[in-house]
């Protein structure tokens, strides 16, 4: 019996070795691709500063993107937020993503929320084979969401969201002799959130678990002959918030993320007529490299957040994606400041491997929550 831990260590080491050496063939680099990938980009600087984690963090006005079920536990009556993401700023200055979100509480159990995200790609010239400009367009994409969240118990809530997605990249320009059109899709999210107060190290703590299956929707087509999957996605995570004392608290969180679409070069990708439900269930076992490649398709987000007196926050995080699946690996950092109901957050991304579109770019988010304003008003009396 005493040798069992040694065997276990050897077994885990063998799996790690297989994971690092798998695929010395045509599957070495096999990232999953979808249309409208911007739907998975962190829209807010708080999550962007903690490694792009957010499914189980404490509720805020940006919960629509990460986990709509969290809105059921938000303190305020209403709130709104806006964020701005400069994209590829090291190369061009006219690509950006803007995000607007808000919520309204009907009663103690029910919350309605909505959001709008708009992505602009600046001016793009379409040319012929000689290089002559045929058309100048302003490609853009956007989505509009609405969600309903409800408390089912003192510790658990659920949420459902509906999303309309519009993508106009070519403005009807003919490519390879085929007319193009804007891509359209309708999608839904199903989410859950659980939290419970616990005692840890003699300190009052809050343990949270969250899950969100997002962008469950129709495939998108820009032509009459072929359609692609949108980024249907499973995100699971946990967070632990410790109240160190009256003024100081810290939150630690981790998210696991997997796209629920066919892996390239799998048998599913050979069948262009595969349905969305089939893709959702078979995406866990369709990778050409088997179980090890399926594990490689999971990304990991680690984050930490420190608050002083619920006024000032410091944040840091790390995001990891396997080298065979895109090799996005980066550290993040940021800060937040709250006053009179308003919160402003900043984040900064530091890539470790390949360059990142947000490398060395400062992002900001601004939000207003009625609960914070109420606390300020009560304190002034």
């Amino acid at each position: 019996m005493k040798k069992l831990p040694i065997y276990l260590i050897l077994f885990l080491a063998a799996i790690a070795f297989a994971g690092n050496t798998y695929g010395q063939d045509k599957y070495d680099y096999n990232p999953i691709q979808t249309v409208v990938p911007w739907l998975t980009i962190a829209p807010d600087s708080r999550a962007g500063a903690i490694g792009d984690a957010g499914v189980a963090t404490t509720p805020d006005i940006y919960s629509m993107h990460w986990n709509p079920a969290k809105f059921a536990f938000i303190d305020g009556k209403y709130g709104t937020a806006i964020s701005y993401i400069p994209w590829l700023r090291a190369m061009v200055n006219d690509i950006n993503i803007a995000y607007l979100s808000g919520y309204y509480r009907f009663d103690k159990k029910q919350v309605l929320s909505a959001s709008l995200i708009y992505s602009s790609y600046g001016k793009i010239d379409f040319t012929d084979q000689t290089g002559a400009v045929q058309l100048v367009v302003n490609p853009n994409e956007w989505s509009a969401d609405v969600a309903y969240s409800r408390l089912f118990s003192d510790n658990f809530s659920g949420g459902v969201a509906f999303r309309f997605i519009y993508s106009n990249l070519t403005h009807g320009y003919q490519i390879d002799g085929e007319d193009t059109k804007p891509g359209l899709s309708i999608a839904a999210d199903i989410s859950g959130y659980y939290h419970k107060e616990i005692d840890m190290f003699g300190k009052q703590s809050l343990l949270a678990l969250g899950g969100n299956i997002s962008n469950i929707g129709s495939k998108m087509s820009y032509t009459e002959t072929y359609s692609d999957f949108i980024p249907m996605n499973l995100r699971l995570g946990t967070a632990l918030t410790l109240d160190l004392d009256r003024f100081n608290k810290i939150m630690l969180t981790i998210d696991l993320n997997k796209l629920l679409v066919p892996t390239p070069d799998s048998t599913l990708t050979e069948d262009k007529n595969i349905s969305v439900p089939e893709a959702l269930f078979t995406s866990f076992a369709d990778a050409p490299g088997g179980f090890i490649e399926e594990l490689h398709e999971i990304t990991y987000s680690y984050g930490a957040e420190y608050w002083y007196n619920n006024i000032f926050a410091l944040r840091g995080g790390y995001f990891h994606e396997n080298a065979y699946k895109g090799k996005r690996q980066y550290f993040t950092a940021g800060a937040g400041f709250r006053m009179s109901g308003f919160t402003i957050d900043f984040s900064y991304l530091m890539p470790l491997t390949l360059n990142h579109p947000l490398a060395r770019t400062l992002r900001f988010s601004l939000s207003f929550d009625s609960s914070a304003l109420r606390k300020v008003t009560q304190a002034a009396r």
Side-chain angles (χ1 to χ4, degrees):
M1 295 296 294
K2 293 182 180 180
K3 293 184 178 180
L4 182 59
I6 298 177
Y7 294 142
L8 180 60
I9 292 173
L10 292 176
F11 175 73
L12 294 176
I15 291 180
F17 178 79
N20 288 328
T21 60
Y22 122 82
Q24 303 300 320
D25 51 28
K26 67 177 181 178
Y27 302 122
D28 273 358
Y29 188 71
N30 197 26
I32 296 178
Q33 299 179 359
T34 68
V35 294
V36 292
W38 47 271
L39 287 174
T40 62
I41 296 173
D44 61 306
S45 294
R46 181 199 181 195
I50 55 176
D52 292 346
V55 74
T57 54
T58 50
D60 61 19
I61 307 176
Y62 295 98
S63 296
M64 170 68 84
H65 176 84
W66 302 102
N67 185 350
K70 294 197 299 181
F71 275 121
F73 284 102
I74 203 165
D75 292 332
K77 177 70 174 179
Y78 58 89
T80 186
I82 187 172
S83 66
Y84 174 77
I85 306 173
W87 201 248
L88 290 171
R89 191 46 52 96
M91 299 176 59
V92 294
N93 60 6
D94 59 354
I95 299 179
N96 57 77
I97 300 175
Y99 185 79
L100 177 66
S101 178
Y103 77 92
Y104 179 81
R105 176 177 294 281
F106 286 101
D107 53 36
K108 293 182 179 180
K109 293 186 176 182
Q110 302 179 94
V111 176
L112 185 68
S113 54
S115 68
L116 175 67
I117 184 168
Y118 179 84
S119 179
S120 173
Y121 299 103
K123 291 184 178 181
I124 295 181
D125 298 338
F126 283 92
T127 62
D128 59 19
Q129 295 180 348
T130 66
V133 176
Q134 300 294 305
L135 182 67
V136 179
V137 302
N138 294 90
N140 63 86
E141 302 176 298
W142 57 269
S143 72
D145 311 347
V146 61
Y148 171 77
S149 310
R150 181 181 177 87
L151 281 176
F152 292 104
S153 71
D154 292 338
N155 303 107
F156 176 74
S157 65
V160 59
F162 299 96
R163 177 169 302 112
F164 176 78
I165 308 163
Y166 176 87
S167 174
N168 190 357
L169 301 180
T170 62
H171 287 256
Y173 187 73
Q174 193 175 78
I175 298 177
D176 293 331
E178 187 171 8
D179 292 333
T180 61
K181 62 181 181 178
L184 303 174
S185 180
I186 297 176
D189 298 356
I190 301 174
S191 59
Y193 180 72
Y194 173 86
H195 72 190
K196 184 177 179 61
E197 292 185 356
I198 61 174
D199 182 82
M200 180 168 289
F201 310 118
K203 304 292 185 181
Q204 182 178 354
S205 306
L206 185 70
L207 176 65
L209 303 171
N212 186 19
I213 304 177
S214 60
N215 301 317
I216 308 170
S218 58
K219 291 190 281 187
M220 181 175 288
S221 176
Y222 297 97
T223 67
E224 298 296 336
T225 59
Y226 187 69
S227 59
D228 294 283
F229 286 96
I230 64 174
M232 298 185 296
N233 187 75
L234 170 65
R235 183 181 291 272
L236 301 172
T238 184
L240 177 66
T241 303
L242 296 92
D243 289 333
L244 303 179
D245 54 38
R246 179 182 174 185
F247 297 102
N248 301 276
K249 65 180 179 181
I250 187 171
M251 181 192 70
L252 305 174
T253 186
I254 178 174
D255 278 15
L256 280 67
N257 190 80
K258 187 183 188 306
L259 287 170
L260 304 181
V261 298
T263 303
D265 296 326
S266 69
T267 56
L268 289 181
T269 56
E270 297 175 2
D271 181 6
K272 304 301 183 182
N273 296 318
I274 179 176
S275 67
V276 168
E278 185 180 359
L280 285 171
F281 290 104
T282 56
S283 62
F284 293 95
D286 70 332
F291 178 68
I292 295 299
E293 186 176 358
E294 292 291 345
L295 292 180
H296 286 170
E297 292 180 353
I298 300 174
T299 63
Y300 303 86
S301 299
Y302 307 90
E305 178 183 63
Y306 163 78
W307 275 98
Y308 174 75
N309 200 27
N310 286 322
I311 295 177
F312 178 71
L314 289 176
R315 304 180 178 107
Y318 173 70
F319 179 93
H320 180 86
E321 181 179 55
N322 189 275
Y324 299 120
K325 293 297 177 177
K327 205 176 180 179
R328 290 176 298 165
Q329 297 168 16
Y330 50 84
F331 285 104
T332 60
F337 184 74
R338 182 181 295 159
M339 179 184 296
S340 302
F342 289 91
T343 301
I344 186 168
D345 298 307
F346 300 92
S347 64
Y348 191 77
L349 186 146
M350 297 159 283
L352 295 179
T353 53
L354 302 176
N355 198 13
H356 191 280
L358 288 173
R360 293 169 291 280
T361 299
L362 184 66
R363 300 166 52 187
F364 73 90
S365 304
L366 177 66
S367 62
F368 169 79
D369 196 309
S370 62
S371 63
L373 180 61
R374 184 175 66 251
K375 293 176 182 179
V376 171
T377 303
Q378 291 173 349
R381 291 178 180 175

